[in-house]
Amino acid sequence: MFKAFKTLVLALCLIASPLSLFSQDLNSDSLAVKLLDQVVVTATKNERKQVQTGKVLSVINSETLRRSSGQSLAELLNRQVGLNINGAQNNLGTNQDVYIRGAGTGYALILLDGIPVCDPSNLSNNFDLNLIPVEQIERIEILKGGQSTLYGSDALAGVINIISKKTFDKALEGQALATYGSYGTWKGHLALGGQNQRSSYSVQYSHLGSQGFSSAYDEQKQDNFDRDGFVENNLSAQFKHQVAKGLLLKGIGNYNAYQADIDAGAFVDDKDFTFSSKNLLGSGGFVLDKKNLRLTVNYTYNATERVFQDDSTSVPLNAFAKYARTDYQGKSNFIEAYSHLNFGKKVQLLLGLENRHQNMSQVYNSISDFGNYREELTADFTQSNLFSSFASLSVANLGVFGFEAGGRFNQHSAFGSYTTYNLNPFVFIHRQLKAFANWSSSFKAPTQYQLFSIYGNQGLQPEVGTNVEVGAQWFSKKQSSQLRAVYFVRSIQDVIIFRSTSGPPFGQYANFDQQNDAGLELDGQTQWGKLKVGFNYTFVNGKVTTTLRPNQDTSYFNLIRRPKHAFNFNLGLPITKKWDASLAIRAVSKRIDSYFDSNTYSSREVTLDPYFTVDLYQEYRIKPNLKVFLDLRNLSNAAFFDIYGYNSRKFNFTLGLSSKF
């Protein structure tokens, strides 16, 4: 009965779509998006139209975010071309690994309003996507390829710039959201803000709670695995103040705290194992605008506390099994100053300085039959400060030709100096066909843990990458349609791995491997009247070359949990003037995973089956400022592993109400 209902809903949707299509004027361009005139900021750290850059950049706009209130940030990113977010389909609170074009986790740099954010206590230094609610985002810009010249360390495969929701238009406005859905999940969001001639402000609060489901898969069908719940609170505030003509002060603060119940491992339940995270972020700065000069200064402080606590007696562990707790703390200070010098309307020079300071601590406590055990690690990044200077020249639309060229000098007190570069020429023909190429180098500095832990190696060198992209993008005459194809090749040298050693501590981090990846991206979108259609396809292949013994190298495919093929399709369905719907389809090819069997204490490779999901979103506008929406996900109730031994979401729904006041 239930399956029949879902099938009926899907059938009605598919039947309604062509009827809606033919009810529109297919030649209408009144609502068509002018794609070339879309303004982006990530490509050059300043406002530029898409027509003025040859970089591979995708935008998730406010309309898409509006239709994603029932989803997480990871779910939203997981549908974008070239991206795979492992864990996005799992229980709330799952650790989410960001893969751009198949590159390993830690090679994607997360930006918040253009400023790098990270967690120094994390092995890979990557930022937790669970910390950012979708409701607080205005838009997202995804810039792929090596971007270390503009954004420094960790931007080896690309950057994801999450741009905060802007302040309100009136003196005082508000927004409210309430949702309820599967697994006992509910969310509340409230935002207040306003502006006058010189100042603007906003304050936002979000709460998310869920009873969840068992994170671990019950392979033996024992039916005694408990549900793993999740609760999160987020508070943010921002302001802008025009001090004088051409001088703008700005600031933002964000506090997030969440706790998730987790399990002991793949196929292994745990009744009282928890993970909690607290994050405090504060950022401030100013923008000085003169006739041909814009000077920007930013400072950001970011502090994260993470705690894993397991006092379970229901799962047999090792000798330290009665109680175990690990506390991680990471703090980072980031400051940058850069200026844009304009020489006419088409030539721009960027000059900048940047400094990163990080520290971390890790404390492990356990209680066993052998007594109490404590291990403590503290690493201060003042021993290995990272200072950079960078420059970039952009020339756009001189006839049909444009380019960007730049370089960055990095001085790291642990490994010394390293220089990156980028070159990006492009040609534009009749505002319809853009051909481009990108050649760039990039790097990732060794993390705190890799340098200073018991397994650390202060002689580590940075992981360095070379990226090459070639592609073309076609636009329709009215700019309501576009089609883009990109081929990319990436090589990473001095990949840091963990190597076993014969003596204590029986392991150490070392620069050892070489990673080579290549792939193809296709994406397109079109609009006829109010009907919108989009798709993307990603192919990626990769191998690692490692030395088994002197003068003997071996290469093999190693893209763990990353599909070679991924396809996404979405269709906007205007049904009536007040009722809109959208259909999203995702298909993922088989993957490989590495599974550690706690019973045999051995690892083995497993193959994860391909899967196919269909989602349907609908919203009905009761009043201009009041709407109700229903988000149905995984309509076919597909069961699959994104991570071997862990449950993914089957059919689930979110019902919500949103209003402006």
Side-chain angles (χ1 to χ4, degrees), residues 308-429:
F308 290 87
Q309 181 170 291
D310 188 4
D311 56 0
S312 177
T313 58
S314 64
V315 177
L317 300 175
N318 54 28
F320 304 103
K322 292 185 178 180
Y323 176 85
R325 174 178 170 136
T326 307
D327 293 70
Y328 299 89
Q329 291 188 353
K331 297 179 181 179
S332 64
N333 291 271
F334 173 87
I335 188 168
E336 67 175 355
Y338 57 89
S339 62
H340 288 90
L341 300 169
N342 295 313
F343 302 93
K345 294 182 179 181
K346 299 176 181 178
V347 180
Q348 189 176 86
L349 176 64
L350 168 66
L351 300 172
L353 301 172
E354 174 192 302
N355 193 77
R356 302 187 189 191
H357 173 94
Q358 298 177 330
N359 61 70
M360 66 162 289
S361 67
Q362 176 184 333
V363 179
Y364 173 78
N365 290 282
S366 65
I367 301 173
S368 72
D369 293 336
F370 300 99
N372 297 347
Y373 176 80
R374 178 182 176 89
E375 180 182 302
E376 185 171 351
L377 163 69
T378 301
D380 191 342
F381 207 59
T382 55
Q383 303 174 40
S384 51
N385 198 63
L386 179 59
F387 173 80
S388 305
S389 59
F390 56 93
S392 180
L393 178 66
S394 299
V395 179
N397 288 357
L398 292 179
V400 296
F401 176 76
F403 73 90
E404 180 182 337
R408 173 182 285 247
F409 175 78
N410 308 278
Q411 183 65 41
H412 193 288
S413 58
F415 63 73
S417 61
Y418 182 71
T419 302
T420 63
Y421 61 85
N422 80 286
L423 179 63
N424 169 217
F426 64 95
V427 294
F428 216 112
I429 304 172

Side-chain angles (χ1 to χ4, degrees), residues 511-526:
N511 297 102
F512 199 69
D513 290 346
Q514 175 181 327
Q515 179 72 39
N516 294 292
D517 305 313
L520 174 69
E521 294 175 347
L522 299 173
D523 68 288
Q525 64 186 83
T526 189

Side-chain angles (χ1 to χ4, degrees), residues 113-240:
D113 294 320
I115 300 173
V117 289
C118 62
D119 179 4
S121 72
N122 191 300
L123 172 61
S124 300
N125 205 44
N126 50 298
F127 190 74
D128 186 358
L129 294 181
N130 290 308
L131 298 172
I132 306 177
V134 169
E135 292 75 26
Q136 298 183 10
I137 302 174
E138 179 73 20
R139 74 179 188 278
I140 302 172
E141 297 182 2
I142 303 165
L143 180 61
K144 283 166 285 188
Q147 303 300 330
S148 288
T149 294
L150 287 185
Y151 295 104
S153 178
D154 299 2
L156 204 147
V159 300
I160 300 173
N161 189 8
I162 301 167
I163 300 170
S164 302
K165 185 166 288 187
K166 302 305 179 186
T167 51
F168 298 86
D169 297 326
K170 300 179 182 179
L172 179 63
E173 286 185 274
Q175 295 179 354
L177 170 76
T179 71
Y180 179 79
S182 300
Y183 312 117
T185 303
W186 69 281
K187 178 193 293 186
H189 175 75
L190 178 65
L192 296 172
Q195 69 171 357
N196 55 34
Q197 291 183 347
R198 301 183 64 178
S199 303
S200 61
Y201 70 94
S202 69
V203 179
Q204 302 184 69
Y205 171 74
S206 298
H207 175 85
L208 174 62
S210 178
Q211 297 177 15
F213 52 88
S214 175
S215 296
Y217 180 74
D218 184 4
E219 188 177 28
Q220 303 301 323
K221 308 301 180 184
Q222 302 174 55
D223 295 327
N224 62 350
F225 283 21
D226 70 326
R227 301 174 73 172
D228 296 315
F230 178 84
V231 61
E232 179 180 46
N233 291 282
N234 183 282
L235 178 65
S236 70
Q238 64 172 303
F239 79 91
K240 293 182 180 179

Side-chain angles (χ1 to χ4, degrees), residues 457-493:
N457 179 358
Q458 296 189 37
L460 288 172
Q461 295 298 303
E463 300 174 89
V464 297
T466 301
N467 293 261
V468 176
E469 301 169 306
V470 292
Q473 189 171 14
W474 171 84
F475 299 89
S476 64
K477 289 184 177 180
K478 296 183 179 181
Q479 298 179 34
S480 59
S481 304
Q482 71 92 16
L483 180 65
R484 177 171 58 186
V486 183
Y487 176 76
F488 63 89
V489 177
R490 180 181 57 243
S491 177
I492 305 175
Q493 308 285 337

Side-chain angles (χ1 to χ4, degrees), residues 31-318:
L31 295 176
V33 178
K34 299 298 183 182
L35 298 170
L36 289 174
D37 294 328
Q38 185 179 47
V39 176
V40 295
V41 296
T42 313
T44 60
K45 296 175 76 76
N46 194 22
E47 292 91 348
R48 294 288 259 190
K49 293 182 178 180
Q50 286 271 38
V51 70
Q52 296 175 303
T53 178
K55 291 185 175 179
V56 182
L57 190 144
S58 302
V59 178
I60 304 175
N61 58 27
S62 57
E63 180 183 354
T64 302
L65 287 159
R66 176 180 57 81
R67 298 195 305 266
S68 306
S69 297
Q71 302 175 31
S72 67
L73 174 58
E75 287 180 277
L76 183 61
L77 292 173
N78 202 35
R79 297 195 197 92
Q80 308 308 309
V81 62
L83 265 66
N84 179 54
I85 314 299
N86 194 256
Q89 308 278 6
N90 294 89
N91 208 1
L92 290 175
T94 298
N95 182 58
Q96 293 156 353
D97 294 326
V98 180
Y99 301 116
I100 296 181
R101 291 176 169 172
T105 182
Y107 294 149
L109 180 63
I110 305 298
L111 308 176
L112 186 58
D113 294 320
I115 300 173
V117 289
C118 62
D119 179 4
S121 72
N122 191 300
L123 172 61
S124 300
N125 205 44
N126 50 298
F127 190 74
D128 186 358
L129 294 181
N130 290 308
L131 298 172
I132 306 177
V134 169
E135 292 75 26
Q136 298 183 10
I137 302 174
E138 179 73 20
R139 74 179 188 278
I140 302 172
E141 297 182 2
I142 303 165
L143 180 61
K144 283 166 285 188
Q147 303 300 330
S148 288
T149 294
L150 287 185
Y151 295 104
S153 178
D154 299 2
L156 204 147
V159 300
I160 300 173
N161 189 8
I162 301 167
I163 300 170
S164 302
K165 185 166 288 187
K166 302 305 179 186
T167 51
F168 298 86
D169 297 326
K170 300 179 182 179
L172 179 63
E173 286 185 274
Q175 295 179 354
L177 170 76
T179 71
Y180 179 79
S182 300
Y183 312 117
T185 303
W186 69 281
K187 178 193 293 186
H189 175 75
L190 178 65
L192 296 172
Q195 69 171 357
N196 55 34
Q197 291 183 347
R198 301 183 64 178
S199 303
S200 61
Y201 70 94
S202 69
V203 179
Q204 302 184 69
Y205 171 74
S206 298
H207 175 85
L208 174 62
S210 178
Q211 297 177 15
F213 52 88
S214 175
S215 296
Y217 180 74
D218 184 4
E219 188 177 28
Q220 303 301 323
K221 308 301 180 184
Q222 302 174 55
D223 295 327
N224 62 350
F225 283 21
D226 70 326
R227 301 174 73 172
D228 296 315
F230 178 84
V231 61
E232 179 180 46
N233 291 282
N234 183 282
L235 178 65
S236 70
Q238 64 172 303
F239 79 91
K240 293 182 180 179
H241 179 65
Q242 196 80 37
V243 179
K245 184 178 180 180
L247 179 59
L248 176 70
L249 293 181
K250 58 181 182 177
I252 186 171
N254 188 85
Y255 177 76
N256 183 290
Y258 74 83
Q259 179 171 304
D261 297 329
I262 58 178
D263 283 329
F267 306 110
V268 183
D269 188 33
D270 199 324
K271 306 299 183 186
D272 44 18
F273 195 1
T274 62
F275 168 68
S276 61
S277 175
K278 297 179 181 179
N279 177 262
L280 175 65
L281 185 145
S283 179
F286 67 85
V287 179
L288 177 64
D289 268 315
K290 294 298 183 181
K291 184 177 180 181
N292 294 311
L293 169 70
R294 168 173 284 190
L295 174 65
T296 303
V297 176
N298 294 312
Y299 168 76
T300 298
Y301 171 80
N302 185 25
T304 302
E305 297 180 8
R306 299 182 294 126
V307 177
F308 290 87
Q309 181 170 291
D310 188 4
D311 56 0
S312 177
T313 58
S314 64
V315 177
L317 300 175
N318 54 28

